Amino acid sequence: MQSTNGAVQVTGHYLAHDGEILTLATESGPVSLRSEGVSCIGTDCPADGAAPVLRIAAQGRAAQLLVPALIEAYRRDTGNRLDHALWSASAIQAIDGLPETPFDVFLSPRPLSAAELDLAERKGLAALDNARQAQILAMDALVPAVAADHARGSIPLSRLVDAISGNGTVWPDRSASNRLHLLETIGPDLTWLLPESANGPELILHATPESLSDALAAEPDALALVPLSQVGPWRQLALSGPCGLRSTATERSIRTEDYPLTFPVYLYLPPWRPHPDIKAFLDWLRSEAAQLVVRRAGLVDLAGVPIPIDAQGRRFANAIRMAGADVPLGELQRLVRALDAHTRISITFRFDPGSTFLNAPSRSHLLMLAHAIRDGRYSGRDIVLVGFSDGRGPADANRDLAAARAEAVKEDLLAALGGALPFNVGIETDAFGEAMPLACDDSAPGQQANRRVEMWVRDRR
């Protein structure tokens, strides 16, 4: 790349052109210059006035099938004939291929691990998991699975966490070796699921669901972790705990993130600015048309759906069964009175541990909720943000923290709306601390599931 008078020259690999800015990867890192008054010399340089090509790296067969379906739906919905180049790559392959093989989007069926994020930063991609570069496309969940004829119906969540972390065995009452079977798109590094899992069990990776199924059938006590979106001839296990609560992965429990092993499916974006045509596609991915494609692919979309209070029976029953000195009957009665005549919306907000800062999925939920409010989907309704906590520590302190988190979500939502709600939409907060747990508190994922702010709505009074 050189200036028209030849006085300035920059040599490197072409990365991107957003219509105004050309970005090259140089020995000193990415360099961006205005394309006006600059000429790009090389086989990868964009032709003047040429339409952009969306370069997508995707991991796994499911992602390979999902991308063309999304592109085709985008063309039908918008009339934009966006061209694309798609290739199969793991996260390591896509990141390590830079700068020779740059991408505009990397579709990952799971969050990146600590090692993958570190490699991305060393490759000049900055903090690839920050809010601007990590766009959530859908939700999925890891489910413990055994052979179809296995006698077990559940596994304690804390035991599974200990096994993954290297602090115990999967089946302590059996002599089988401590091994865990995974599909290649999930492994071989589980630090994205549990940061302390670096010294976990032996991980057996399988390229296909058929290979994984055969391994489960051949070894009586073999255990796998599989995405719920991946259907196979195995038996899924519920997650249990000593407090008597069980969690089962369903579309609803993933949508609300009530299931403890729920995780986002990500689109990772490089730090340089995309071409406006590519940005339009990325923005379209939050539309209902895009989310319909996501649902058809077996993933759980990000849309908020109503859950009537009549469908909350099991949760209320668990709250009553587990009530005690810290959560007296009067507090449960207050909870029922506060939520009566309300409908829960599946949007649930969760936080980084020990803070009132929303985690990545919740930030996406907040932006989508703000768009829905602006579009009038909550006109004539009051939104109630209800805070809950885990059961560790004093009950009063837990209730105060739950209330602070509900207020934090309210403030973040108002900020996303420019400081004010539409005149015909109301918002208020409430908190009940540890009154309605979703999982036992004997593991970090269980505690995380319990720390939440739920969204309930009612017609305006």
Side-chain angles (χ1 to χ4, degrees):
M1 191 163 59
Q2 66 179 24
S3 59
T4 50
N5 62 8
V8 177
Q9 292 186 349
V10 179
T11 301
H13 290 277
Y14 167 75
L15 292 177
H17 182 219
D18 70 355
E20 296 180 358
I21 303 294
L22 270 169
T23 301
L24 296 185
T26 73
E27 292 182 354
S28 301
V31 172
S32 297
L33 296 172
R34 286 195 173 276
S35 53
E36 182 181 356
V38 170
S39 59
C40 182
I41 303 170
T43 56
D44 292 331
C45 291
D48 290 339
V53 175
L54 174 63
R55 301 162 298 181
I56 306 176
Q59 182 175 8
R61 182 171 179 272
Q64 289 281 308
L65 296 174
L66 177 59
V67 170
L70 286 169
I71 293 289
E72 182 59 31
Y74 176 68
R75 290 170 174 171
R76 288 197 310 268
D77 196 44
T78 66
N80 190 320
R81 303 299 299 176
L82 180 65
D83 290 329
H84 73 285
L86 171 65
W87 65 93
S88 176
S90 68
I92 293 294
Q93 290 169 336
I95 296 169
D96 208 33
L98 292 169
E100 290 83 0
T101 312
F103 57 84
D104 299 301
V105 175
F106 172 62
L107 198 164
S108 175
R110 54 161 176 83
L112 295 185
S113 69
E116 291 162 343
L117 290 171
D118 179 66
L119 176 63
E121 194 149 7
R122 285 187 278 115
K123 280 285 188 172
L125 290 176
L128 201 53
D129 61 341
N130 68 45
R132 192 178 70 83
Q133 291 179 245
Q135 180 172 326
I136 295 174
L137 178 65
M139 303 298 292
D140 205 345
L142 283 185
V143 184
V146 292
D149 59 353
H150 203 285
R152 294 178 187 269
S154 66
I155 181 173
L157 175 58
S158 59
R159 182 185 299 168
L160 180 61
V161 169
D162 285 345
I164 295 174
S165 304
N167 298 321
T169 58
V170 173
W171 307 121
D173 55 337
R174 302 294 178 95
S175 58
S177 62
N178 191 29
R179 298 193 296 177
L180 191 60
H181 294 264
L182 303 166
L183 292 172
E184 285 183 348
T185 54
I186 296 302
D189 182 351
L190 290 178
T191 56
W192 63 269
L193 179 66
L194 293 171
E196 65 273 21
S197 64
N199 299 314
E202 178 187 1
L203 301 180
I204 311 298
L205 301 183
H206 299 272
T208 65
E210 292 77 17
S211 170
L212 187 147
S213 177
D214 290 344
L216 292 179
E219 186 179 338
D221 289 314
L223 180 73
L225 279 177
V226 297
L228 184 66
S229 59
Q230 181 63 67
V231 179
W234 41 67
R235 182 177 188 181
Q236 297 179 359
L237 303 182
L239 300 174
S240 60
C243 66
L245 292 178
R246 289 167 64 99
S247 297
T248 303
T250 64
E251 180 182 331
R252 176 182 291 179
S253 66
I254 294 173
R255 191 182 294 278
T256 59
E257 298 179 71
D258 291 353
Y259 179 74
L261 300 183
T262 298
F263 63 88
V265 174
Y266 275 107
L267 297 176
Y268 288 103
L269 315 176
W272 40 85
R273 293 196 307 179
H275 189 279
D277 289 355
I278 294 175
K279 185 178 185 304
F281 171 74
L282 296 173
D283 291 341
W284 173 85
L285 291 174
R286 294 191 174 95
S287 70
E288 176 56 32
Q291 294 296 295
L292 177 60
V293 176
V294 167
R295 291 195 294 272
R296 287 174 174 168
L299 296 166
V300 177
D301 64 271
L302 303 179
V305 300
I307 306 173
I309 196 167
D310 291 346
Q312 307 287 322
R314 172 53 56 187
R315 297 207 311 157
F316 282 106
N318 286 334
I320 294 169
R321 180 174 59 81
M322 300 181 69
D326 290 336
V327 184
L329 177 61
E331 183 70 353
L332 293 180
Q333 290 174 330
R334 185 176 79 84
L335 184 152
V336 173
R337 287 194 301 270
L339 299 182
D340 193 22
H342 289 64
T343 297
R344 184 185 179 189
I345 303 298
S346 62
I347 296 171
T348 305
F349 301 98
R350 286 186 165 79
F351 305 84
D352 292 332
S355 78
T356 57
F357 293 105
L358 293 173
N359 65 13
S362 295
R363 291 194 295 269
S364 290
H365 294 327
L366 187 90
L367 292 176
M368 293 190 73
L369 175 58
H371 283 301
I373 291 172
R374 286 196 199 98
D375 291 345
R377 276 177 267 174
Y378 292 94
S379 296
R381 312 189 86 179
D382 286 322
I383 296 170
V384 184
L385 299 170
V386 185
F388 295 93
S389 72
D390 60 41
R392 300 178 307 155
D396 289 345
N398 286 336
R399 189 165 49 250
D400 290 344
L401 179 57
R405 284 172 167 160
E407 284 292 329
V409 174
K410 176 183 174 180
E411 293 304 315
D412 287 346
L413 180 59
L414 289 174
L417 288 166
L421 287 164
F423 76 93
N424 58 349
V425 178
I427 187 168
E428 58 189 73
T429 64
D430 208 335
F432 296 94
E434 57 197 75
M436 193 155 53
L438 301 172
C440 301
D441 283 323
D442 62 332
S443 70
Q447 296 160 15
Q448 176 70 6
N450 291 330
R451 296 191 294 261
R452 66 199 187 277
V453 172
E454 296 181 358
M455 176 179 167
W456 293 70
V457 298
R458 64 168 182 256
D459 292 336
R460 300 210 72 182
R461 295 167 178 169

